[in-house]
Amino acid sequence: MKKLFLKTEILDNKAVQNFGLTHELLMENAALNLANFVRKKHKKGAKILGVCGGGNNGADVIAAIRMLKGDYKVRLFLTTTKLKPLTEFQLKIAKNLGVKITKKISKADCVIDGIFGSGLNRKIEQNHQKIIKKLNRLNAHKIACDVPSGLSQNGEILGACFKADDTICMGGLKLGCFSDVAKDFVGRVRMANLGVSAKKFQDKTDSFLLTKSDLKLPFRNKNCVNKGDFGHAFIIGGAMSGASHIAATSALKMGAGLVSIIGKSHKNEIMSSDKISPKMNAGAVGMGLSDDDIARLSFEILSQKRLVIDASLCKNELVTKLLGLKNSIITPHPSEFCTLLKIAKIADIDVKTLQKNRFFYARQWSLRFKGVLVLKGANTIIAKNGKIYIMPFGSPCLAKGGSGDVLSGLCVSLLAQGYKPIKAAITATLAHALAVKKHKNSYAITPKDIIKGVECLSKR
C-alpha cells in the first residue's frame, strides 16, 4: 500500500529544514517531473499550453514550460495578475527564454493545469469556472499538476474541476484525489519524486492507498488437509432468498471449506441448516432480510461469531446489538451508512453531505466502534481505529444488484478461514473489484460474472 496525505506543505518544509533543500530546488524537481512526462507522451514540436494561477502550482507549470521551450511549441496562459514571489520569479526566467504569454485559450496537443493547488477551500469564481470548462472542452491530453484545479483537499468539487487524463502529485499522493467524485476528474494518478526518496521525504500518515500487491488470496499450500481446515461460514437466509444464495456461492468460491444457509437452500452445492451450530465460525447477516426476519434473529448467538453485517440490518435499530463486536465487518453503501450514523448518534446527514466528507465520517465511525467499516463506493473506504484504506479499483461494472452480496460472501469466507477482519476486508474488496477488470464492457456484469472472475484471480 501507499501513503496518502491531506496536503504536503509540511513535507516540503521538513525537506527544507532537515535536509537543506530549498523551495526553489523542490519546485525545479516538480517542474522537471512534469516536463519529462510531457516528453514521454508527446513528440517534439507538439503544442503545449500551460495554464497557471498565481500560486506554487502555477510556478511549477511555468518552470516546466520553460524546460520544454525550444523542443516544443509552448505558451502560457495566466489566470491572474496576482503572483506569489516564486511564481513571479519563474515567470521572469520563462520570459527571458522567450516563452510567450497568450491571452486566449486555443488548440493544443497538451494542456498542463496549474491554476489551483490542493489547498483550495472555497468555491471558485465564475471567471475561473469558465476557464476550466473551456479547457475541459479542448481535444487535448490534459495533465494536472499535483491535483486537478477545483478539487479540494477533501476531494470535493468546488464549482468546476479540470478533467485530467493524468494527475502528477508532488512528493506524496493526495488523499483528495481518491474521493468518489474525484474519480471522474483525476485520470491516472502518479507521484513525482522531488529529489528525496519517498521513504525520507514522507512522514507518518493515517491514510493509505491499496495496491494490487495487497491482495492476499487464501491459496492452499499444504496437501494433507480437509474441508474442516478452511472454516464453516453461514449465511442467514430470509424473505429475499436470492441474496443469501449469491453470498453463499461467493463464500464457497473464495475458499471456505463449508458454507451453509440458515434457512432453506434451493441449490445442490450449498448446504442448509435450521440453526447456527457451534462449528460454524463466521457468518454474514442482513442481505435479503425483512424487518420480520431481523426481529427473529438470535443476537446472542450472532455476537459470539465472527460476523459480516450488511444490507437490511444496516438500516434497522437492532444493529446496535452487534456494533460493538471486535471481530466484525460492516459493509454499508452510502445511504445505509447515513442511517447507521444516525442510529449511532454520530451524525444526522444526507447522502450528499456524506459523499463530500466520506473520509471524515468513515474515520469517526472507526474511532467509535471496534469492528471494520467497509464504506462502499467508487473508491471503497476501509476504516479501522482511525486509519483509512482506500480501494481504488472500483468500476461502474459493479453498480448492479447483487454485487454487494458477492462482497459479503467474500468477506465472510475469509473470516471463516482465519483472516483478521481488516485483512479480510482488504483482500475481499480488492478481489471483488479486480475480478471484473478484464470484462469486455461496463454494463453486462452480473453477480455470477463477479464470482467467475474470482476464480481467475492469481498471485500475479
Side-chain angles (χ1 to χ4, degrees), residues 48-54 57-59 61-62 65 75-80 102 104-106 108 110-116 128 131-132 135 138 143 145 149 162:
I48 315 297
L49 174 65
V51 184
C52 309
N57 269 38
V61 174
I62 292 170
I65 289 293
R75 290 168 295 144
L76 283 172
F77 180 89
L78 302 179
T79 64
T80 181
T102 181
K104 65 177 184 177
I105 294 171
S106 57
C110 175
V111 176
I112 311 177
D113 160 42
I115 304 172
F116 298 111
H128 283 110
I131 291 170
I132 289 171
L135 293 173
L138 289 179
I143 302 170
C145 175
S149 290
F162 182 77

Side-chain angles (χ1 to χ4, degrees), residues 376-392:
K376 292 181 279 198
N379 284 325
T380 290
I381 297 174
I382 300 158
K384 170 76 173 174
N385 294 337
K387 293 183 178 180
I388 62 173
Y389 306 83
I390 298 177
M391 197 289 296

Side-chain angles (χ1 to χ4, degrees), residues 168-294:
I168 302 179
C169 294
M170 299 304 171
L173 295 174
K174 304 300 184 294
L175 179 62
C177 288
F178 297 95
S179 71
D180 271 16
V181 70
K183 202 174 183 86
D184 284 319
F185 293 92
V186 295
R188 295 170 292 273
V189 182
R190 296 169 167 81
M191 189 191 77
N193 183 299
L194 298 185
V196 180
S197 72
K199 187 175 182 179
K200 291 288 186 181
F201 185 82
Q202 295 178 4
D203 214 335
K204 291 182 179 179
T205 183
D206 54 11
S207 304
F208 303 89
L209 182 71
L210 299 180
T211 65
K212 292 178 182 179
S213 64
D214 294 308
L215 177 68
K216 306 298 182 185
L217 295 168
F219 292 105
R220 300 179 177 184
N221 299 315
K222 293 182 179 180
N223 293 315
C224 185
V225 293
N226 63 69
K227 61 191 176 186
D229 295 322
F230 303 105
H232 189 164
F234 65 89
I235 315 293
I236 304 291
M240 294 162 278
S241 61
S244 58
H245 286 132
I246 291 170
T249 305
S250 172
L252 274 174
K253 287 293 185 182
M254 193 44 125
L258 292 164
V259 178
S260 295
I261 291 178
I262 306 303
K264 291 183 179 180
S265 172
H266 303 291
K267 290 192 174 184
N268 294 331
E269 73 271 22
I270 298 173
M271 301 186 299
S272 62
S273 177
D274 293 331
K275 61 182 180 179
I276 301 169
S277 75
K279 290 185 178 180
M280 296 176 186
N281 61 328
V285 57
M287 61 288 295
L289 301 190
S290 67
D291 286 342
D292 287 341
D293 293 326
I294 293 172

